[in-house]
Each structure stands twice: as C-alpha cells, then as structure tokens.
Amino acid sequence: MTTLTRDPARTAPAGSFRDTWIPRLGGPVWLAWRQHRAALWTLVAVTLVGVAVMVHLRGQMMDLLAAQDPTSRRAGGLPPEFEAYIDRLLSIGSYLGYIPVLAGVLLGAPLIAGDLETGTAKLVTSQSVSRMRWLTVKLAVPAAVLALSTGVLSAVLTWWWNPVKGFSEGLIWTAFFSVTGVVPVAYALLTFTVGVAVGLVLRRTLVSMVVTLGIVVALGFVWSELWRSLGNVMSINTDKGVGPGLVPPELPDQAEQQGQGTYFLTSSGDRLDWTTCLDQMENDKAHTACLESKHVIGWSLDYLDVSQMQTMQWLGAGAMFALTAAVAAFVIVWGRKRLL
C-alpha cells in the first residue's frame, strides 16, 4: 500500500541532479514541508529580501556617516539626509513588529485546523505515523523555519541600528526593544503555538484565524504594558533646591524617563507630585515659600538605562519561551486524545 510518508527523492535515479542536490526529507518531515511549502518558501523569500534591503540601506547610511566630521555628530550637526535613514530604520523596525501577528494568524492557526477541516489529519494518522510524531513534526518544521527567519531579520536590524543608536531621540533603545535581539524570535514562536492551539481546539480555519488575531492583539497589548517592569528603575536626585535659575537634572544618554515626570524631593526623602504648589507658579516668591514650607530640597527623576536592555530582553524572551513550551505541551496532549 502506498503511504503519504514515502520519501519521493528515493525514487530518483542514482547520480541524478535531484538525487545529488535535494535534501533527503522523509516521512512526516517531508509531508509537513510539502503541505506548507508555499508559506515556508514565502517566509524564506521575505527574509532574504529583507536582509538585502537592510544591508543596502545600512551601507548607504554608514557611507554618509563616514563623510561626516565626528565632532559635528556629537554636536547634533548631522546632515538632513540622515533623517531619511532614521525614518527607514524606524519603518522597517515597525514592519518586523508585525511578524508575530502574521506567524500566529497566517501560519499557526491554519496549520492543524486546515488538516482537521479537510480530513488530512485522519488520513495521515491512519497510516504508520503515530499522532504524537505527526503533531511534533507539524509543530517543529514551521517553528524551525520561523525561528531562523525571525532571528536573521532581528540580527540584521540590530546590526543596522547599533552604530547610530543615540544619534537621535527617535533611535532610543525603547523603540527597538521588541524588534531586536532575542525578543522577536520568542514572540513569534509564542504567537505561532497559540495559533496552532486555537486551530486544534476550534477545528475550523477561518474561525481559528479570527480568534487567533484577537488573542495575539491582546498579547501585544499586555506585552507593551509590562515589558518595562522587567528593568530596574533608577533615580537621579538633587539637593540644591528648586528655586529660580535652577533646572531639573538631565538624564543619561539613551535613558527613558519613567513615571509621571519630575518629582519634588523633600528633606525626609519623600517625593511630591510636580503639581505641588502649582497654583502659585505665577509668583516666584510665593511659589518658593510654598515649596519651602513642604521642605522641598530638590528634584527626583526615575529612568530606565540602556545598559539594562539585553537583560530585560532575555528575561522577557525567557517568559515567552516558557509559555511557548506550555502551549506546545497542551497541543501534544490535547492532540493525542482528541485529534479526530
């Protein structure tokens, strides 16, 4: 009996081009690749195009910077043409931010739901392939391609951004936190497995894609609200007063201010809201007297420093990898019992 898991490459004549150059994918691995080859090849092609575009734009940007006097860079005297490269860098970074959405909705949700809807899952598991092996391979093959592609794009974007971070307020590290380093890989794998789990439970492709989109959007909102809590908030305090002629302290380079803004610091170490004595701002003497009555001695600012970026990324990615493993385990357990 002919099965769906036979390796077609083995039928090629010995020494032929196909026998020489085509990798010998066999069994469920070959089937998983063949079933989803359009999506996977598209992902590979997009990765190659994205890498080529970023390498080209980075080369042009570095040529422009090389022709610029280093002292003028520090003084903020970059040429107007540099703004175009900033916009392109930010735009491509924002495009990479959509990878998790596409991974969950277009790759994860239809992965098993489509096979359940068309009856392919029942046909495959009626052969000599166990449900456990089939589910594992179905998850592993697209996940490997997705992780590799996302990792390559993230690495090239990081390589492009590193030489110019700090040259502009738009290039601050918080704008690139979720699209550089290990975070995009972990995020894409999480949304992919969530999409697979939704498709396995709902068993309908279109419904699964819609539900997955909602879940992925919710995950994105939660991530955007929580990722800053992965860092250790640092503070700058002054004790020279806050009267006329004195200004709040400046943040370190590439630091992002946290909280509501600048606080007033009292002699006891407490912090007061910046709106304290706001109604007397028009009169310097009255305003100063009001602050002195509350024992204000200076300012206090909270911020996150760029030095924490990689640690925060690995903490966030670790949590995502753990969730991904949990969802993948659910897919395996649920699929073994209730696949058909």
Side-chain angles (χ1 to χ4, degrees), residues 141-177:
V141 172
V145 178
L146 178 63
L148 180 61
S149 298
T150 308
V152 169
L153 289 171
S154 173
V156 176
L157 181 67
T158 305
W159 175 65
W160 180 9
W161 169 62
N162 272 333
V164 295
K165 58 183 178 182
F167 282 12
S168 166
E169 291 184 1
L171 297 175
I172 189 170
W173 65 276
T174 52
F176 292 86
F177 183 86

Side-chain angles (χ1 to χ4, degrees), residues 7-338:
D7 182 359
R10 295 176 183 172
T11 62
S16 67
F17 177 85
R18 182 176 185 180
D19 181 67
T20 303
W21 295 98
I22 299 297
R24 291 181 177 274
L25 298 180
V29 176
W30 171 81
L31 180 59
W33 176 269
R34 183 169 180 80
Q35 277 187 296
H36 307 290
R37 63 188 183 278
L40 297 179
W41 278 120
T42 300
L43 184 59
V44 171
V46 169
T47 301
L48 294 176
V49 171
V51 168
V53 170
M54 286 190 283
V55 169
H56 175 69
L57 291 176
R58 184 188 187 275
Q60 290 184 331
M61 182 189 71
M62 295 306 294
D63 290 341
L64 181 63
L65 289 177
Q68 190 73 13
D69 184 4
T71 58
S72 65
R73 299 183 202 172
R74 291 192 293 269
L78 290 170
E81 298 90 334
F82 186 73
E83 295 297 327
Y85 291 100
I86 294 178
D87 293 340
R88 292 167 187 169
L89 181 55
L90 291 171
S91 296
I92 292 181
S94 66
Y95 295 153
L96 295 187
Y98 290 107
I99 291 179
V101 179
L102 300 177
V105 176
L106 300 182
L107 186 59
L111 191 76
I112 294 178
D115 287 354
L116 293 172
E117 207 169 20
T118 60
T120 303
K122 184 175 182 180
L123 177 61
V124 171
T125 54
S126 67
Q127 307 293 313
S128 59
V129 180
S130 66
R131 295 183 183 182
M132 176 72 171
R133 186 183 179 194
W134 181 71
L135 286 168
T136 302
V137 172
K138 286 282 286 187
L139 278 171
V141 172
V145 178
L146 178 63
L148 180 61
S149 298
T150 308
V152 169
L153 289 171
S154 173
V156 176
L157 181 67
T158 305
W159 175 65
W160 180 9
W161 169 62
N162 272 333
V164 295
K165 58 183 178 182
F167 282 12
S168 166
E169 291 184 1
L171 297 175
I172 189 170
W173 65 276
T174 52
F176 292 86
F177 183 86
S178 296
V179 293
T180 58
V182 72
V183 172
V185 178
Y187 199 178
L189 290 177
L190 175 60
T191 57
F192 167 73
T193 52
V194 166
V196 174
V198 171
L200 181 62
V201 173
L202 298 183
R203 309 169 74 90
R204 293 292 182 269
T205 302
L206 184 58
V207 176
S208 299
M209 293 173 71
V210 173
V211 173
T212 299
L213 177 60
I215 295 175
V216 170
V217 170
L219 286 174
F221 175 77
V222 172
W223 172 248
S224 66
E225 293 294 315
L226 294 182
W227 71 261
R228 285 177 174 82
S229 63
L230 298 171
N232 179 30
V233 177
M234 307 175 73
S235 298
I236 297 179
N237 299 325
T238 64
D239 59 359
K240 304 300 183 182
V242 295
L246 297 175
V247 296
E250 293 185 0
L251 293 175
D253 291 340
Q254 288 289 294
E256 184 189 62
Q257 187 166 325
Q258 301 297 294
Q260 64 179 357
T262 305
Y263 298 90
F264 290 124
L265 183 68
T266 67
S267 57
S268 62
D270 295 330
R271 299 201 300 183
L272 304 177
D273 191 272
W274 67 273
T275 57
T276 300
C277 300
L278 185 63
D279 55 343
Q280 301 184 28
M281 279 287 292
E282 295 181 359
N283 189 317
D284 289 342
K285 291 185 178 180
H287 185 244
T288 301
C290 177
L291 293 176
E292 288 178 349
S293 69
K294 298 182 183 296
H295 308 288
V296 173
I297 61 171
W299 283 285
S300 180
L301 285 77
D302 292 338
Y303 67 95
L304 283 175
D305 192 70
V306 65
S307 62
Q308 302 185 59
M309 180 177 179
Q310 288 190 349
T311 302
M312 292 170 62
Q313 285 182 321
W314 278 104
L315 286 173
M320 291 184 189
F321 283 135
L323 287 174
T324 300
V327 176
F330 166 79
V331 170
I332 298 297
V333 173
W334 181 281
R336 289 184 64 185
K337 295 180 179 179
R338 305 182 61 176

